[in-house]
Amino acid sequence: MSDLTPVSPAAAPASAVATPAPRVYNKGFSQVKDIFNKIYQSRANLGLPNPGTTENINKEVSRDVLLTPFFFTGLKADVSKSFSLQPVFQVSHALALGSPVLPNYAFGSAYANENTMMQGNIESDLSLTGRAQRVWNSAHTSRAQFQLGDSQPAALVQLEHDYLGPDFSLTLRALNPSITSGTLSGVYTGSLLQSVTKKLALGIETLYSMPASKEVPSDVSTSYFARYTSTNWIASVQARGTGQTVLSFYKKIADKVEAGIETEIGPNPNAMLLGTGNLIDGTTSIGAKYEFRQSIFRGKIDSTGKVSCLVERQVLPILALSFAGEIDHVAKTAKVGLGLQIEAGSEEVFEQQMQLQQQMANAGAGAGTGAPSTPSA
Amino acid sequence: MLHLWHQMPLLCAVKILLLIIKMTDELKERLSRVIDTGRVVLQYGWIPFVVYVGWKQSTPRPNLLKLLSPLPSA
């Protein structure tokens, strides 16, 4: 920042008396700049960490400990082939049977080098899901996500930019931005998460939706976030603009054991539209994750009477099996899923991977464990 | 806040965007046709593009049969 400041008159050499004095753009401006620098300095002295983004406010619970994002039903088989590790280049084929959400066949490809990531998945009905990411420097990252296809109700394009400051994160997001309707339309989100103390972070997110047609009114909603990160536990609160409140608590119980609770309370849409059920509805899920040497076990119980589990086991270095099961004790139904994952890369790539894993294991042992901010590592 | 001025291209882009908003019907129609074509190109071209970039950058370059068949390559 200091390299951009114009030369101040005090810094000018004494011999400069004969020559015209260095230009001072504006005295007021330099004063404002001084104040700004002082604030910046004192803020840097606090040593606040970057709190992560609002999107990841409860990722330890909702995306790692709870099995919801990994759950599947029916039979599935994934074959992935790696052709290179630096840069990463991988092609995958996914087959599924008897699942209401998974497509019968999907072809995927992924490419990633140090600062660019591109990934795509095309399903048997020719609908495409794609992602691209560009890391400009340690602070700025741009992302694009798209879902295009005839089976989808509408094409979905999302552009995102993250700015990770020293003690805050700013995210700007545009969903389906368009100007063809005559005005700017789409859903625009801006979110900010700021570290207040070394452990506490507070955040705000504002969503502004501008529909393409003039009849539908535009909408604004604001959400608030708080996240407290302690040595081995994390608690977070989200008050969403839609009226939902999400509380989550994560705890690292032992080196390989993690547990999490998530409670969601909010207005019940069924009660408003159909007049059934309570006006305010809530669900609580309790989950745990055990990491064994060859397998990962996840279990979950929730307040609607569902008990579910997911086991992933690495049988061979190239073969992994997974089992997913859920029993709904209220509705008296059960779901089962069985999966097979094959890594069919070439031998050179496999050797490279082993070396890389060895390096990572060594680095992990050196860095030590127990930091809850990177439990997935 | 000084570093924001490095992003002048971004500000210019926003300005251009605001100008386009006040455009004629003909231009609007043409633009929406271009966007529709772009969408189709992206839908069918994205996967080949990613595969091509990956193929070009990986050493040794795998052959097409290895690249696309789901069978393990020996």
Side-chain angles (χ1 to χ4, degrees):
Chain A
M1 197 143 287
S2 55
D3 55 323
L4 292 171
T5 55
V7 182
S8 65
S15 61
V17 180
T19 56
R23 225 166 86 203
V24 179
Y25 296 113
N26 190 338
K27 215 162 185 192
F29 176 71
S30 74
Q31 273 171 357
V32 167
K33 199 186 70 214
D34 275 359
I35 291 167
F36 182 80
N37 280 346
K38 262 178 204 156
I39 292 170
Y40 186 83
Q41 266 306 316
S42 54
R43 223 167 98 176
N45 289 343
L46 289 173
L48 298 175
N50 181 283
T53 57
T54 52
E55 204 182 12
N56 292 338
I57 195 132
N58 62 345
K59 72 156 194 269
E60 286 84 7
V61 179
S62 65
R63 276 190 243 153
D64 193 34
V65 171
L66 297 184
L67 55 87
T68 326
F70 309 98
F71 192 79
F72 65 96
T73 56
L75 298 171
K76 72 165 187 177
D78 297 328
V79 180
S80 62
K81 289 173 105 172
S82 293
F83 293 102
S84 168
L85 280 179
Q86 256 157 1
V88 175
F89 175 47
Q90 189 176 307
V91 163
S92 69
H93 303 261
L95 298 152
L97 209 63
S99 167
V101 277
L102 292 173
N104 287 331
Y105 175 74
F107 177 80
S109 62
Y111 170 80
N113 62 19
E114 303 85 52
N115 45 26
T116 308
M117 192 276 287
M118 292 188 290
Q119 189 247 320
N121 219 43
I122 196 156
E123 299 178 0
S124 40
D125 59 356
L126 291 175
S127 62
L128 174 84
T129 322
R131 278 195 303 153
Q133 180 179 310
R134 173 88 188 175
V135 179
W136 304 104
N137 53 39
S138 61
H140 290 274
T141 306
S142 295
R143 264 185 225 108
Q145 271 182 52
F146 38 89
Q147 272 178 39
L148 306 167
D150 309 323
S151 68
Q152 251 105 26
L156 213 107
V157 176
Q158 182 175 292
L159 305 172
E160 203 177 316
H161 188 85
D162 277 346
Y163 174 41
L164 303 179
D167 58 356
F168 67 93
S169 301
L170 183 72
T171 307
L172 301 173
R173 201 177 297 137
L175 179 70
N176 283 351
S178 170
I179 46 167
T180 45
S181 60
T183 55
L184 198 65
S185 70
V187 180
Y188 298 88
T189 312
S191 68
L192 176 74
L193 194 63
Q194 168 77 51
S195 287
V196 180
T197 68
K198 276 184 182 160
K199 291 177 172 177
L200 183 69
L202 299 175
I204 185 165
E205 178 175 287
T206 298
L207 182 146
Y208 184 40
S209 87
M210 283 181 272
S213 69
K214 294 243 161 47
E215 281 84 58
V216 188
S218 56
D219 189 25
V220 182
S221 75
T222 305
S223 309
Y224 301 93
F225 304 89
R227 176 181 159 105
Y228 189 86
T229 313
S230 190
T231 44
N232 61 348
W233 58 271
I234 298 165
S236 76
V237 185
Q238 298 173 56
R240 295 235 152 239
T242 50
Q244 299 272 337
T245 303
V246 183
L247 305 161
S248 80
F249 182 77
Y250 163 89
K251 187 162 168 67
K252 200 171 179 81
I253 293 166
D255 190 19
K256 303 276 180 190
V257 187
E258 293 157 46
I261 305 180
E262 191 167 86
T263 302
E264 208 178 314
I265 308 164
N268 183 2
N270 284 347
M272 285 194 236
L273 297 171
L274 311 168
T276 55
N278 297 328
L279 213 61
I280 289 185
D281 208 12
T283 47
T284 302
S285 309
I286 302 178
K289 179 188 167 193
Y290 294 82
E291 260 178 79
F292 299 107
R293 213 166 65 83
Q294 299 274 305
S295 53
I296 298 172
F297 177 86
R298 288 185 177 89
K300 191 184 96 174
I301 302 175
D302 74 9
S303 61
T304 56
K306 283 181 193 159
V307 182
S308 44
C309 80
L310 179 85
V311 187
E312 288 165 291
R313 186 172 166 81
Q314 196 83 35
V315 182
L316 293 168
I318 58 154
L319 179 69
L321 293 174
S322 51
F323 170 82
E326 183 190 276
I327 300 173
D328 191 331
H329 284 288
V330 175
K332 299 259 189 294
T333 55
K335 289 175 192 164
V336 176
L338 217 54
L340 188 73
Q341 271 171 297
I342 302 167
E343 170 57 56
S346 59
E347 266 174 43
E348 306 117 51
V349 171
F350 185 65
E351 269 165 30
Q352 279 180 40
Q353 196 170 2
M354 283 314 224
Q355 279 174 4
L356 218 69
Q357 273 176 1
Q358 197 75 41
Q359 279 171 15
M360 271 169 76
N362 292 343
T369 50
S373 52
T374 53
S376 55
Chain B
M1 296 307 274
L2 275 169
H3 59 280
L4 273 180
W5 296 108
H6 283 305
Q7 290 158 14
M8 276 307 262
L10 198 82
L11 293 175
C12 293
V14 169
K15 198 115 192 183
I16 291 165
L17 203 77
L18 289 172
L19 280 175
I20 296 172
I21 289 170
K22 295 181 194 134
M23 62 194 162
T24 59
D25 281 349
E26 191 213 358
L27 191 66
K28 219 184 287 178
E29 202 172 297
R30 204 178 288 171
L31 192 73
S32 77
R33 224 178 307 144
V34 167
I35 288 170
D36 277 346
T37 318
R39 198 148 58 191
V40 173
V41 168
L42 189 66
Q43 187 183 345
Y44 297 106
W46 178 248
I47 294 280
F49 173 69
V50 175
V51 169
Y52 174 72
V53 170
W55 176 79
K56 192 100 198 245
Q57 302 284 321
S58 56
T59 42
R61 288 182 189 171
N63 68 38
L64 199 69
L65 200 70
K66 256 190 192 174
L67 198 66
L68 297 179
S69 84
L71 299 171
S73 48

